[in-house]
Amino acid sequence: MPGSMSEADVIADLKRSLHDSATAFNAADDADFKRFLSIALAGMQSKRPRTLLGTVSLVAEQDVYTLAVTDFAQYKTHQWGSKPPKPWAPGYPGALPRVTVAQSGSGWQMVFDPAPSWSHISAYGSTFRYWYFGTHSLGSTPDAATLADADRPLLLLRAQAEAMRELTMRNINKPVQLRDGYAGTPRNSTPAALYRELLAEWEAAR
């Protein structure tokens, strides 16, 4: 079921979890933290996939349809024409079109190859119901969250890893003055090590 996390609440938690390192990210309007959360939310699609239902109204001989959904991540399947008559039966409409989804600008388009015919629509109907994997999001209000409250730690963990990755990139050209004892490893490599550890922990989580 949807969670009760707002974007502002999760950003506040993320800042607290990063402790002093959070001060390295000072873009206006919390843009850095929003970017980390955006990447974390995308990653959560593999951990907590959302299967949603969409519909397309088919028109005979039209092969491309713009999807009306705004949270599309990946096409899953459909059942249109799942029980076709036998090829030798009267009124057999022909083989089903192959269905693919392609990105078009900032949106998505569903492509039928070949375009559905009058015979297809007569046999199976003009309403094409399909299932897709949806994106995760946070909003200004808690009820806009697509993740359950129990997934909050996992989301924060992925965002923390992304913050460490960016700290690593920022430190590449900075002078190093301190080293960690026996190994002689620059201390500014710590974010890189933390990134690997946090990402491995996130990947292993269920």
Side-chain angles (χ1 to χ4, degrees):
M1 61 180 295
S4 60
M5 302 177 285
S6 71
E7 183 183 61
D9 288 342
V10 177
I11 286 176
D13 279 355
L14 179 57
K15 289 179 178 179
R16 284 191 290 268
S17 72
L18 292 174
H19 299 284
D20 291 345
S21 60
T23 61
F25 307 108
N26 52 16
D29 194 31
D30 288 328
D32 293 325
F33 300 101
K34 290 178 181 179
R35 183 172 64 256
F36 302 151
L37 280 179
S38 177
I39 295 171
L41 286 166
M44 290 297 290
Q45 293 172 27
S46 64
K47 291 289 186 182
R48 302 292 185 267
R50 299 174 68 210
T51 296
L52 302 172
L53 178 65
T55 60
V56 167
S57 294
L58 298 180
V59 177
E61 309 308 328
Q62 179 177 325
D63 60 344
V64 178
Y65 300 81
T66 298
L67 300 186
V69 297
T70 58
D71 56 356
F72 184 92
Q74 185 180 354
Y75 176 70
K76 187 175 182 180
T77 189
H78 71 87
Q79 290 186 336
W80 185 75
S82 60
K83 297 180 179 180
K86 300 298 183 182
W88 56 84
Y92 175 64
L96 288 174
R98 186 170 65 94
V99 181
T100 58
V101 174
Q103 196 161 13
S104 176
S106 59
W108 297 86
Q109 290 183 329
M110 182 170 285
V111 181
F112 289 75
D113 182 23
S117 66
W118 284 108
S119 297
H120 287 124
I121 293 175
S122 177
Y124 309 126
S126 61
T127 299
F128 182 89
R129 300 168 75 243
Y130 66 95
W131 285 263
Y132 67 97
F133 294 111
T135 58
H136 281 295
S137 62
L138 296 172
S140 58
T141 58
D143 58 357
T146 59
L147 288 165
D149 293 342
D151 292 322
R152 190 186 196 116
L154 193 58
L155 176 66
L156 286 171
L157 181 62
R158 184 62 185 86
Q160 290 165 350
E162 193 59 29
M164 292 302 102
R165 186 192 70 82
E166 189 156 315
L167 276 179
T168 300
M169 300 301 292
R170 290 187 179 194
N171 287 341
I172 285 177
N173 293 322
K174 292 183 179 179
V176 178
Q177 296 179 349
L178 300 176
R179 294 179 177 273
D180 287 335
Y182 178 80
T185 303
R187 285 187 180 176
N188 72 352
S189 69
T190 300
L194 284 173
Y195 168 70
R196 291 191 295 270
E197 291 176 8
L198 291 169
L199 190 60
E201 183 179 348
W202 181 83
E203 289 174 343
R206 297 289 183 177

